[in-house]
Amino acid sequence: MNTDLFNKLEQVTDRDSFFAFVKALIEDRKDEKAKELINPREPYGSGANDWVNENVEDFLEAALAWAEDTNMGQSQELSGEPSWKSIAVFLYSGKIYE
């Protein structure tokens, strides 16, 4: 797990911290793609930075599946009105949820 990315996720409270998280998520994906050039990932496995989904369709599908399966993260106390944090968690889930 990329602890820097997870720390950015945990720090999301407003628009600016959300944007910082999205930038970190982008860099995390770029880093994984660079690592895959050296060490290709196994089929159906996660990559070096734990990315499970390789394209935007799978990424968004996974984020949606996570939201539906967990009722938008009720176990993470993210139910109710959307917040910058809940949107960040939604995006992060697209990275890791299958």
Side-chain angles (χ1 to χ4, degrees):
M1 174 198 308
N2 180 338
T3 54
D4 183 51
L5 179 63
F6 191 76
N7 288 337
K8 290 259 191 241
L9 172 64
E10 290 296 307
Q11 295 170 4
V12 173
T13 57
D14 56 15
R15 187 189 73 159
D16 291 339
S17 58
F18 173 74
F19 288 169
F21 165 75
V22 172
K23 288 175 185 175
L25 186 64
I26 291 166
E27 289 305 312
D28 187 63
R29 180 64 180 139
K30 286 180 180 179
D31 180 60
E32 175 158 306
K33 289 180 90 171
K35 289 175 181 173
E36 286 177 358
L37 293 174
I38 299 165
N39 262 344
R41 68 194 270 168
E42 296 292 322
Y44 308 109
S46 62
N49 292 357
D50 297 324
W51 280 81
V52 175
N53 302 295
E54 295 187 57
N55 58 53
V56 71
E57 302 90 42
D58 292 344
F59 173 84
L60 292 172
E61 199 171 79
L64 181 60
W66 169 83
E68 291 174 342
D69 291 349
T70 63
N71 196 16
M72 193 51 182
Q74 280 189 336
S75 62
Q76 286 87 3
E77 299 177 27
L78 297 174
S79 60
E81 290 298 313
S83 66
W84 290 110
K85 176 83 176 257
S86 64
I87 296 167
V89 170
F90 178 82
L91 292 176
Y92 183 80
S93 298
K95 170 188 171 175
I96 61 170
Y97 200 75
E98 293 182 67

